Amino acid sequence: TPLQKQNPETTIIDIPLDIVYVQDETGSMGNDIAALVSLAPEIWDGIDSITTNEFKMSVVGYRDYARYPWGSSGDHVYRLLGDFTSSRGQFVNAVNQLTASGGGDNPEAPYAAISYLLTPSHPCIDSNGNGNCADGHDTPYGHQPTFRSGATRIILLATDAGAHEPADTTGYPGPGYFEVIESLTNNRTVVIGLVPGGSGAVSDIDVLAEATGGSVHSTGAT
């Protein structure tokens, strides 16, 4: 198997990993992002300590569509802050670019961010709905990280809020649960949730993790 037990407390992973850190950048995540910035080197070192094959990390931020009542003016659905790198310093620099602001209502756009992330042919995202993708908070075409063929894909999804579901949100332009699950499954991508309170706190994240063979952990833990 790709996982080998070294001792009861340490699992050594010997397959190549492409890990995307996907961070909710809405206002409520301010304290969490500040903590992450200081912990980024330890996150890298922690992964490095349990892998024997090459791993690479990328950093992505998301908020919501910049349209009332879902998001705030200037919100972005997705932005790539750092492509995959095997450099600890480059990963830390990408994490340092994360910010916290906006967000509008409580649910956010993780489904839209994941859908874009895993779809190289995804069109640009017109965040404010003005008919073009020329604004600074829009997402241009082709801003996905460069996944390696043969690497196991992992999304570390850090958030404190659930996702907008178009079926329950009239006029919402983003994808729904079934579409994002299909994308995750087709791309063999595992979701690991990082949520204040851990499993049970945000049901949408629990479902993504369960559907992809992942797990949910509390950001209040180490």
Side-chain angles (χ1 to χ4, degrees), residues 134-152:
D135 301 304
H137 50 267
D138 292 333
T139 303
Y141 172 82
H143 275 218
Q144 292 82 8
T146 310
F147 288 98
R148 292 173 293 168
S149 175
T152 295

Side-chain angles (χ1 to χ4, degrees), residues 176-196:
Y177 161 76
F178 290 106
E179 185 176 341
V180 77
I181 288 295
E182 182 179 22
S183 182
L184 287 163
T185 302
N186 289 344
N187 286 280
R188 299 182 180 181
T189 303
V190 176
V191 173
I192 298 176
L194 304 176
V195 176

Side-chain angles (χ1 to χ4, degrees), residues 3 17 25 46 65 71 87-88 100 102 120 150 213:
L3 302 182
L17 304 177
E25 291 190 278
Y65 290 88
S87 164
R88 180 179 186 263

Side-chain angles (χ1 to χ4, degrees), residues 24-31 63 100-103 108 160:
D24 177 345
E25 291 190 278
T26 57
S28 63
M29 297 299 293
N31 289 341
R63 291 179 187 166
S101 182
E108 309 301 353
D160 63 354

Side-chain angles (χ1 to χ4, degrees), residues 152-222:
T152 295
R153 300 182 179 189
I154 297 174
I155 291 176
L156 298 181
L157 179 58
T159 185
D160 63 354
H164 278 291
E165 176 59 55
D168 303 325
T169 311
T170 302
Y172 190 74
Y177 161 76
F178 290 106
E179 185 176 341
V180 77
I181 288 295
E182 182 179 22
S183 182
L184 287 163
T185 302
N186 289 344
N187 286 280
R188 299 182 180 181
T189 303
V190 176
V191 173
I192 298 176
L194 304 176
V195 176
S199 180
V202 181
S203 61
D204 291 336
I205 309 306
D206 290 340
V207 171
L208 291 182
E210 182 177 358
T212 60
S215 53
V216 179
H217 304 271
S218 175
T219 54
T222 58

Side-chain angles (χ1 to χ4, degrees), residues 83-156:
D83 202 347
F84 284 116
T85 180
S86 55
S87 164
R88 180 179 186 263
Q90 289 180 12
F91 169 71
V92 171
N93 287 340
V95 169
N96 286 341
Q97 297 177 55
L98 291 164
T99 60
S101 182
D105 60 4
N106 184 58
E108 309 301 353
Y111 291 171
I114 291 171
S115 179
Y116 180 96
L117 169 68
L118 296 177
T119 310
S121 62
H122 198 292
C124 66
I125 300 176
D126 176 13
S127 185
N128 63 6
N130 68 348
N132 65 68
C133 295
D135 301 304
H137 50 267
D138 292 333
T139 303
Y141 172 82
H143 275 218
Q144 292 82 8
T146 310
F147 288 98
R148 292 173 293 168
S149 175
T152 295
R153 300 182 179 189
I154 297 174
I155 291 176
L156 298 181

